[in-house]
Amino acid sequence: MVTAIRFSTPREHLSKTGGRPPVHSLPMSEYDIEHSHGMHVVHDGPRQAPPLLLIHGSGASGGFWGPVVPTLAGHHHVIRVDLPGCGQSPPAPSYDVPAQAGQVAALLDDHGLRHVAVAGHSSGGYVATALAEQRPDLVGSLSLISSGPSPEALLRQPFILRVLLAPPLGPLIWPRRSDAMIRKGISATAARPVDLPDDVVADVRGITYRVMRMVLRQNTAYIAERSVPRRLAALGVPIQVIFGAADPRWEPSSAHRYEAVPNARVELLPGVGHLPMLEAPEKVGELLLSFTATGPSTTRNA
């Protein structure tokens, strides 16, 4: 159930951020923020528009979708979640991928939404896939962005991430990360310069080392049990895959493994790394809108 709801206008948010538009601000009259099923949730765009759910990846937050939201919210009721233990959401007892998908399903049920277009970035694509596996009635289409298909596609990670995430230095350095170190760690996964607003950096800083390690462990277990293309092939839901051709985290050519999924669309973006929505927001917004426009109509329960 929804435990708290706050309604704000962009002007009110600007007054709280010293005049700097937050990552989720829009040239619109209003947006909603709620806390539901252990997750911080932001709603943008007209509520009567077709819903589009955006799920972030490991060590991130819903704020990472900020650059594409203005484009998407002109056509969709955009719903962004901070998964448990990430961004402004509190920790959870379990970070098992299906368990996280269950929390997202409960959120959609609360709003009476069905056949929702769902987009997931990186491991957010695993939560999106698990959601479709558990509740096919909730998912009308899936867009996976930079979601590695299986463990063997994982590349040797950038040096700063290896230092931050692995013992013995990781547990010591992680809680002492400066803003500059956080920005450097995120930028190490990109192929182009990315602009990270202060509120996004703050979201990342709030993720504990324990949560990050548990999330990564559960993500690996999910794709090791069965690859994402195999899972998707059994679903029969429209699939779009977007991958940066210069992704330093996942072997870019592994994106072609998704071509085994019937009728899947696979898009490789030249010169783009692991963060397409930050590195090429216009192209990502265009691809998402084009894909959702051809998908099944979305419905809301009476």
Side-chain angles (χ1 to χ4, degrees):
M1 296 181 62
V2 176
T3 56
I5 298 178
R6 184 170 87 244
F7 180 82
S8 304
T9 66
R11 179 174 296 178
E12 289 169 345
H13 260 280
L14 289 178
S15 70
K16 299 174 184 176
T17 58
R20 180 182 57 79
V23 71
H24 51 255
S25 66
L26 293 173
M28 301 175 64
S29 61
E30 58 192 38
Y31 57 89
D32 291 318
I33 299 173
E34 67 173 314
H35 297 272
S36 178
H37 297 280
M39 296 181 297
H40 176 82
V41 186
V42 179
H43 300 261
D44 295 287
R47 302 307 175 269
Q48 70 275 15
L52 171 58
L53 173 68
L54 304 178
I55 306 176
H56 65 81
S58 305
S61 71
F64 276 65
W65 294 98
V68 299
V69 169
T71 297
L72 301 177
H75 303 266
H76 288 279
H77 167 196
V78 179
I79 306 164
R80 284 179 287 163
V81 299
D82 285 354
L83 293 173
C86 299
Q88 299 181 54
S89 295
S94 172
Y95 297 93
D96 177 75
V97 171
Q100 294 189 71
Q103 290 176 262
V104 175
L107 167 69
L108 298 179
D109 281 337
D110 277 356
H111 288 277
L113 298 172
R114 294 292 182 272
H115 308 298
V116 177
V118 182
H121 172 247
S122 193
S123 61
Y126 307 156
V127 177
T129 300
L131 177 65
E133 289 178 314
Q134 291 177 19
R135 295 288 304 278
D137 59 311
L138 296 181
V139 179
S141 65
L142 283 173
S143 295
L144 306 187
I145 302 175
S146 307
S147 297
S150 59
E152 61 269 19
L154 187 66
L155 298 172
R156 181 173 172 80
Q157 299 302 285
F159 175 75
I160 187 171
L161 295 186
R162 300 200 307 271
V163 171
L164 285 171
L165 292 172
L169 295 180
L172 300 174
I173 297 175
W174 188 272
R176 297 173 174 82
R177 291 167 299 158
S178 64
D179 285 4
M181 186 177 292
I182 290 172
R183 292 177 189 277
K184 184 176 180 181
I186 295 171
S187 296
T189 69
R192 299 179 181 181
V194 293
D195 181 25
L196 299 168
D198 292 343
D199 49 353
V200 170
V201 174
D203 284 344
V204 174
R205 190 189 308 111
I207 302 170
T208 68
Y209 181 79
R210 177 179 178 274
V211 166
M212 187 65 182
R213 291 283 296 184
M214 292 178 67
V215 166
L216 292 174
R217 188 177 303 119
Q218 293 297 333
N219 290 338
T220 300
Y222 180 75
I223 61 174
E225 179 185 50
R226 189 154 33 119
S227 73
V228 186
R230 283 187 59 198
R231 292 175 183 275
L232 296 175
L235 297 180
V237 64
I239 305 294
Q240 173 177 240
V241 174
I242 301 171
F243 231 90
D247 192 324
R249 293 205 64 211
W250 295 95
E251 172 54 54
S253 65
S254 70
H256 293 295
R257 291 184 55 187
Y258 288 98
E259 292 171 353
V261 181
N263 302 314
R265 301 184 187 180
V266 178
E267 301 278 352
L268 266 73
L269 306 183
V272 173
H274 189 64
L275 304 169
M277 64 280 199
L278 294 176
E279 299 177 64
E282 298 85 1
K283 183 61 176 178
V284 171
E286 172 191 319
L287 289 171
L288 289 175
L289 287 180
S290 174
F291 183 63
T292 58
T294 60
S297 60
T298 54
T299 59
R300 182 185 298 270
N301 279 357

